[in-house]
Amino acid sequence: MSVLGPGTGLRLGDVGVLLAGTACVAGLTLWSWGGGPGNTAVIRAAGQVVETTALTRTHTFSIGGPLGITQVEIQPGRARIAVDPSPRQLCVKQGWLTQAGQVALCLPNQVSLEIRGRNTTYDTLGY
Amino acid sequence: MTRSVIELPVHAEDRRIARLAALAIGLTLAEAALPSPIPGVKPGLANIVILLVLLQHGWRAAAWVSALRVLAGGLLFGSLFAPGFWLSAAGALASLLVLALARHLPPAFFGPVSLSVLAAFGHIGGQLALAGWWLLPAAALIKLLPVFATAALIFGTVNGIIVTRVLAASTSDRRQSAPCTPP
């Protein structure tokens, strides 16, 4: 029972084994490299933690820095830098952060947003 | 001709196993010349031979060829009884055990590609299990797991397709001399 033509010789079960193998690889990758879904957002300004909040409800924090106000938007399961006065907008372009260990740094304004899960990826972050 | 006192009868099957083992050893040596970004990520070309032996001559013959390959490979690389040899042996053993189970899968649905992929995962599983237990802290290995698993999936698939092609070629050779029977 060849499903992809006689040339490849792939049978139905082979496709199943390949799919299972791919799922196994994907699972292993997530398990060993991904930090898992995050559940806490830690916001720092000038290296000091100013907010630690659970990713449970929609909320917006406004953090003051040397250049102006950085707005951090929290939603269930994710968080992002919504507005930042930095010239290149790198941390804003990072978009939504969902995985534990992900960090958005707004260096010019000295604000950082870090997502944490059950296990913290870094002991500390400093400028 | 002098008659020897000790006779070691050599059967046709012995010669066949020796010939196939030589082929597997040759592929192992050729593969060692290929550059690899991470030690342990190899195409496993000798597994093509092991799989062909399994499908054509049975599991016992495949186990013999595999064992001879590991032993002779260790001699040729100068790594006999060194860690690399034991890793190779653990991989070969785990792969053979997986094949012993997997060869009972219904052949109508599971072809050489299935066997090859399962054997490749068995191979890397056996190696990593020994390495984690004996050589490296398991935490370091866990970070490498996805790399090894991806390599096993890709090389297992490619080797399986090669085995399918070789089998198809050898059966079509036989068919040319025999009358074609409709299925």
Side-chain angles (χ1 to χ4, degrees):
Chain A
M1 188 186 286
S2 187
V3 283
L4 297 174
T8 59
L10 273 186
R11 295 165 209 178
L12 211 56
D14 295 339
V15 177
V17 168
L18 289 181
L19 287 178
T22 311
C24 174
V25 168
L28 277 176
T29 308
L30 275 183
W31 175 66
S32 96
W33 288 353
N39 55 23
T40 309
V42 178
I43 303 166
R44 287 185 176 85
Q48 303 298 313
V49 175
V50 291
E51 287 288 351
T52 303
T53 179
L55 298 178
T56 47
R57 60 191 185 87
T58 304
H59 193 79
T60 304
F61 293 100
S62 294
I63 314 294
L67 295 184
I69 301 293
T70 298
Q71 281 187 13
V72 179
E73 191 175 352
I74 310 285
Q75 282 193 2
R78 58 184 194 169
R80 68 167 174 175
I81 308 282
V83 178
D84 186 69
S86 60
R88 286 193 280 172
Q89 299 285 301
L90 291 177
C91 56
V92 179
K93 285 175 189 164
Q94 267 188 274
W96 291 104
L97 310 182
T98 56
Q99 297 286 307
Q102 283 186 313
V103 180
L105 296 171
C106 302
L107 287 180
N109 210 25
Q110 298 183 5
V111 173
S112 75
L113 167 66
E114 180 193 352
I115 305 296
R116 283 190 180 166
R118 278 164 300 162
N119 306 312
T120 51
T121 313
Y122 310 109
D123 289 340
T124 183
L125 283 170
Y127 291 104
Chain B
M1 204 174 91
T2 52
R3 276 184 67 91
S4 62
V5 183
I6 301 167
E7 272 191 34
L8 289 172
V10 179
H11 301 293
E13 199 194 345
D14 298 337
R15 293 185 197 281
R16 191 169 62 208
I17 284 175
R19 198 174 61 238
L20 292 163
L23 191 58
I25 293 160
L27 285 173
T28 305
L29 282 178
E31 186 175 88
L34 295 175
S36 167
I38 299 173
V41 175
K42 287 184 198 169
L45 296 176
N47 293 328
I48 297 171
V49 179
I50 308 289
L51 211 55
L52 282 172
V53 175
L54 176 83
L55 292 170
Q56 291 184 321
H57 306 297
W59 188 83
R60 261 181 68 91
W64 266 110
V65 171
S66 182
L68 286 173
R69 177 193 77 84
V70 171
L71 197 67
L75 282 171
L76 289 169
F77 291 128
S79 67
L80 193 64
F81 306 133
F85 168 82
W86 292 114
L87 288 181
S88 177
L93 184 67
S95 156
L96 279 172
L97 291 178
V98 168
L99 283 176
L101 297 174
R103 73 198 184 105
H104 296 297
L105 290 169
F109 295 103
F110 297 93
V113 174
S114 288
L115 294 181
S116 178
V117 169
L118 291 172
F121 274 110
H123 209 107
I124 207 68
Q127 286 191 332
L128 288 178
L130 182 66
W133 175 70
W134 181 34
L135 293 173
L136 281 171
L141 280 179
I142 285 171
K143 290 287 173 195
L144 285 173
L145 265 179
V147 180
F148 288 128
T150 309
L153 184 64
I154 293 170
F155 292 134
T157 309
V158 172
N159 288 352
I161 291 172
I162 292 173
V163 170
T164 312
R165 290 278 170 89
V166 172
L167 282 177
S170 66
T171 50
S172 71
D173 281 350
R174 266 178 230 153
R175 254 182 231 154
Q176 281 171 356
S177 56
C180 202
T181 49

